[in-house]
Amino acid sequence: MFIGHFGLAFAAKRVAPRVSLGTAFLAAQFVDLLWPSFLLLGIESVRIAPGATAVTPLVFEHYPTSHSLLAVIGWALALGGAYALTRKDTRGAFVVGFLVLSHWLLDAIVHVPDLPVAPGMDLRVGLGLWQSQAATFAVEGPIFAAGVWLYARSTLAKDRIGRYALIGLVALLALVHMGNVLGPPPPSVSAIAWLGQAQWLLVAWAYWVDAHRGSRVSAV
Ligand SMILES: [Zn+2]
């Protein structure tokens, strides 16, 4: 899953207005931000096999440190805990932790059964939505659209950057998603890893957008 994760991060503004969109992006995509580094370090591995699923040509061979349920629970506690220690925002800390965990839950919908439950355990899960392009668009698109809508309604642009940087970010995410689903397979695993590192720019972009938007509503 790609933009569905960002959809949830956008939506988080509605329940935790003090959490920056950048922090929400960091949390919702945390394990996908770790994954490229683990690939480059040789800790985890992926294989390119065009046609592996209708959506992704990637075969996730080994990624228990970033993507096993047990590890993701650990990352969620770590990130939520770090947020709690640095901000006086208990609600925000829970939302940050939940966003980290939500990544695994959403991935479990789209992945074929390759998501490990715990490192060293053979049990792998995945409902396999990626077997269909139409189903993938039908699930991820509305999650993303609803999230963006909630964020736009919960915040107000302070200036032109707050308006246009948000529109640019949403358009870029939608384009990358289309490219991921419909485009050609990546040329190499190192290309995947380096392109994956570029996601940090999305986090920075989201902090930039959020700094130029003010809260419109109080928390629900
Ligand atoms: Zn993932």
Side-chain angles (χ1 to χ4, degrees), residues 22-23 78 114 147 158:
T23 305
D114 61 28
K158 293 178 187 167

Side-chain angles (χ1 to χ4, degrees), residues 108-125:
I109 299 172
V110 294
H111 280 242
V112 291
D114 61 28
L115 272 174
V117 172
M121 227 169 110
D122 280 339
L123 180 62
R124 282 152 188 271
V125 298

Side-chain angles (χ1 to χ4, degrees), residues 32 67 103 107:
D32 272 10
H67 273 77
H103 185 103
D107 269 2

Side-chain angles (χ1 to χ4, degrees), residues 1 5 29 31-32 35 60 63 67 103-104 107 111 115 130:
M1 177 160 302
H5 297 305
Q29 274 300 78
V31 303
D32 272 10
W35 181 64
F60 299 90
Y63 61 156
H67 273 77
H103 185 103
W104 192 90
D107 269 2
H111 280 242
L115 272 174
W130 274 341

Side-chain angles (χ1 to χ4, degrees), residues 12-18 89 91-92 95 154 215-220:
K13 198 59 160 183
R14 184 76 187 86
V15 283
R18 290 171 61 195
D89 177 13
R91 174 194 286 255
V95 168
S154 307
S215 201
R216 202 201 298 246
V217 290
S218 50
V220 287

Side-chain angles (χ1 to χ4, degrees), residues 27-114:
Q29 274 300 78
F30 192 64
V31 303
D32 272 10
L33 287 160
L34 296 176
W35 181 64
S37 292
F38 290 166
L39 286 179
L40 292 169
L41 291 169
I43 298 170
E44 302 196 328
S45 63
V46 69
R47 187 160 50 85
I48 300 167
T53 72
V55 171
T56 183
L58 305 185
V59 177
F60 299 90
E61 289 178 324
H62 185 70
Y63 61 156
T65 318
S66 65
H67 273 77
S68 70
L69 176 58
L70 192 67
V72 174
I73 291 172
W75 295 122
L77 291 172
L79 219 67
Y83 185 90
L85 286 176
T86 50
R87 308 281 156 93
K88 288 194 184 69
D89 177 13
T90 310
R91 174 194 286 255
F94 275 104
V95 168
V96 165
F98 172 75
L99 283 174
V100 177
L101 182 63
S102 77
H103 185 103
W104 192 90
L105 300 172
L106 289 180
D107 269 2
I109 299 172
V110 294
H111 280 242
V112 291
D114 61 28

Side-chain angles (χ1 to χ4, degrees), residues 130-147:
W130 274 341
Q131 302 291 12
S132 159
Q133 286 185 346
T136 299
F137 279 125
V139 169
E140 289 208 51
I143 296 176
F144 182 66

